[in-house]
Amino acid sequence: MIDAFDSFIQKLEPQLRTWRRELHQQPELGFLEYKTTYKVAKELEELGFTIHVGKEAVQSDSRYGVPLEHEIQESERQALENGVPEDWIDAMQGSHTGVVAKWDTGREGPHLAFRFDIDALPILESNETNHKPHADHFQSNQNGIMHACGHDGHTTIGLGLAHLIAHFQSQLTGTFTLLFQPAEEGGRGAKAMVDKGWLEGVDQFYSGHIGINSLPVGTIAASTEGFLASAKWNVTFSGQSSHAGMKPEDGRNALLAAATTATQLHAIPRHSEGVSRVNVGKLVAGNGRNIIADSGYLEIETRGQTKAINEFMQKEAKRIIQSSASMYDVKVDIEFVGETEKMTCDRALIPLIQEQCQQSAWVNHIDPVAYVSGSEDASFMMNAVQANGGKATYMLFGTHLPSNHHSPAFDFEEEVIPVALAAYAHVLRGGSS
């Protein structure tokens, strides 16, 4: 059966490449993944999975950082123009994207869940000749949006795993839940699936990431350590505009409040008990050179090695934001738009992963643990499973990285996709037995 899995993946490999490139060409931002949701759901529905989309898949009031109404309407219009049927758009209406797919073998066995993130990033993709998606003509066709973190590969892996489950279903036991999660970027989407109850009764949970650490294709990590708790905010300063030459004293400068915040946030002391981070990722302010700016907008985040450290960073960040507003006599609104939790992989799953994956010809080397940083909202799913007595882990799948994650030239070796699929497939076989 192991050889049969590897053989099946080998035959599927050209289709995996096709799916990845199609997804790369059609990137969508978090909670706007209408075309991706439809593509995934239709593929899995035809395989025989029970499909849940829209408010069946996500808890509406648990979504963080829901896009503005005009952004939602434009994405729904584009999806309709790109062939998504109107009834499907109605089902996802109001930014309820994502897919939950279930397969019950009808035979007694454990419940395994796998999570795949589907969203892209607001980044303009590189058009350099050495950037493979550009050179091979599958670069993003959405200006200013690209898959710059490998989620097109993750979605492809999920499609491949679904095909494998359907093909070998007579040889499997238990239940499988595949979670195609919206809005991973910014820690916005996982909690909405957790709060809908999809992780209840799950015995084993698996998720993972292409890259993060640059490793040879064929190398996987059975678990990770180092992901940080995080919080994401949008901050809006509102002041009073005035003529900068004739009446500067009548103005209340929101630009200076925003700029002061941006610089002073980085003066927060590092925490003695572990890693801490703060970042201002976006600053937009003002109207013109001769106008006292009446508006300033920031997108910021804090991170901490523990929940307590991240809470310290948040407290200090809020103090600085509010002090900057007071300094320039402007109003400030702080909108909480996303978070992730600290997560710990179950080491008890490492021997299972090693035993099963070493039998695959696709996997050459298995590291028990990979050390990382960053944050992941799969933490909500992992913690929910573990709180109910299940086990969970987060894996890495090796590839050379020509550029960093979240950069315009990000890409990965497509040969990693069948490796990751093989790892999940063999874990699925071992975990369901």
Side-chain angles (χ1 to χ4, degrees):
M1 184 173 176
I2 300 296
D3 290 339
F5 272 24
D6 282 352
S7 176
F8 179 83
I9 294 169
Q10 185 174 30
K11 292 177 182 176
L12 191 64
E13 188 174 13
Q15 181 62 61
L16 296 172
R17 185 177 298 107
T18 297
W19 283 329
R20 184 266 165 146
R21 295 187 177 200
E22 289 174 349
L23 290 162
H24 192 86
Q25 286 183 303
Q26 288 283 337
E28 296 171 291
L29 298 177
F31 289 128
L32 299 174
E33 309 99 327
Y34 291 95
K35 297 186 289 291
T36 305
T37 296
Y38 174 67
K39 178 183 180 67
V40 169
K42 285 298 293 180
E43 187 78 32
L44 272 61
E45 187 177 56
E46 291 172 4
L47 290 172
F49 280 81
T50 301
I51 300 300
H52 303 271
V53 298
K55 291 183 179 180
E56 292 183 4
V58 294
Q59 184 72 26
S60 185
D61 58 4
S62 295
R63 297 171 299 159
Y64 288 129
V66 176
L68 298 174
E69 184 60 31
H70 73 88
E71 296 171 326
I72 295 172
Q73 291 180 0
E74 176 61 18
S75 292
E76 291 178 355
R77 182 192 66 78
Q78 288 186 16
L80 188 64
E81 288 184 356
N82 281 273
V84 179
E86 190 169 355
D87 59 332
W88 280 80
I89 293 174
D90 289 343
M92 296 181 276
Q93 188 174 29
S95 214
H96 294 86
T97 51
V99 183
V100 177
K102 298 204 72 171
W103 189 290
D104 187 344
T105 67
R107 289 175 290 277
E108 186 175 351
H111 183 177
L112 274 61
F114 297 82
R115 177 276 213 158
F116 311 95
D117 37 16
I118 66 174
D119 57 324
L121 285 153
I123 293 175
L124 179 65
E125 185 161 14
S126 171
N127 60 3
E128 296 293 324
T129 56
N130 62 349
H131 180 54
K132 187 176 178 64
H134 177 74
D136 288 1
H137 309 293
F138 64 94
Q139 70 268 30
S140 169
N141 61 20
Q142 302 295 308
N143 189 43
I145 304 174
M146 76 169 284
H147 274 293
C149 200
H151 297 188
D152 48 342
H154 299 169
T155 305
T156 299
I157 295 162
L159 290 172
L161 188 62
H163 274 260
L164 186 139
I165 291 170
H167 185 81
F168 290 101
Q169 60 89 21
S170 64
Q171 304 172 44
L172 300 172
T173 62
T175 302
F176 306 105
T177 297
L178 306 185
L179 301 150
F180 291 84
Q181 183 213 305
E184 185 279 328
E185 300 294 351
R188 299 186 292 138
K191 190 173 186 296
M193 284 187 160
V194 172
D195 288 355
K196 198 65 180 177
W198 291 115
L199 281 302
E200 294 174 5
V202 170
D203 297 297
Q204 296 173 27
F205 173 85
Y206 297 91
S207 190
H209 211 294
I210 290 171
I212 298 186
N213 297 342
S214 188
L215 299 167
V217 168
T219 297
I220 69 169
S223 68
T224 51
E225 290 185 11
F227 279 116
L228 308 175
S230 69
K232 326 289 183 177
W233 304 336
N234 293 342
V235 180
T236 303
F237 294 97
S238 301
Q240 174 63 53
S241 60
S242 183
H243 194 290
M246 294 190 296
K247 282 288 183 178
E249 71 277 13
D250 286 349
R252 299 197 305 278
N253 201 318
L255 182 154
L256 291 180
T260 299
T261 296
T263 57
Q264 294 307 306
L265 282 174
H266 290 272
I268 297 174
R270 302 302 87 176
H271 204 286
S272 64
E273 295 179 4
V275 176
S276 56
R277 298 276 193 274
V278 64
N279 187 60
V280 179
K282 184 175 184 178
L283 191 162
V284 180
N287 300 297
R289 73 179 68 251
N290 62 346
I291 305 167
I292 302 295
D294 64 350
S295 63
Y297 173 78
L298 299 171
E299 293 183 3
I300 73 172
E301 65 173 17
T302 63
R303 302 180 196 248
Q305 188 170 336
T306 65
K307 179 180 179 181
I309 293 173
N310 190 49
E311 287 175 346
F312 163 80
M313 296 298 291
Q314 291 183 74
K315 177 176 69 71
E316 289 300 294
K318 286 181 180 178
R319 180 178 63 81
I320 288 169
I321 292 166
Q322 291 162 350
S323 296
S324 298
S326 178
M327 181 185 299
Y328 291 98
D329 192 23
V330 300
K331 296 179 181 178
V332 64
D333 177 70
I334 303 173
E335 180 188 8
F336 189 84
V337 294
E339 65 176 328
T340 66
E341 297 182 321
K342 173 68 176 175
M343 65 188 199
T344 303
C345 295
D346 282 293
R347 287 185 172 269
L349 290 176
I350 294 174
L352 183 148
I353 294 168
Q354 291 173 321
E355 178 184 353
Q356 294 300 320
C357 291
Q358 69 185 2
Q359 301 177 57
S360 174
W362 294 98
V363 179
N364 300 327
H365 179 77
I366 306 165
D367 288 328
V369 182
Y371 296 93
V372 299
S373 56
S375 303
E376 245 294 353
D377 74 346
S379 55
F380 284 103
M381 296 182 176
M382 291 180 62
N383 292 339
V385 169
Q386 291 166 334
N388 290 326
K391 293 181 172 59
T393 194
Y394 192 93
M395 304 169 67
L396 293 190
F397 309 109
T399 174
H400 171 66
L401 298 173
S403 187
N404 291 331
H405 290 264
H406 293 203
S407 76
F410 175 81
D411 192 26
F412 58 85
E413 295 173 275
E414 290 178 324
E415 292 80 5
V416 68
I417 294 174
V419 174
L421 173 54
Y424 281 147
H426 288 79
V427 162
L428 178 147
R429 176 183 179 273
S432 65
S433 61

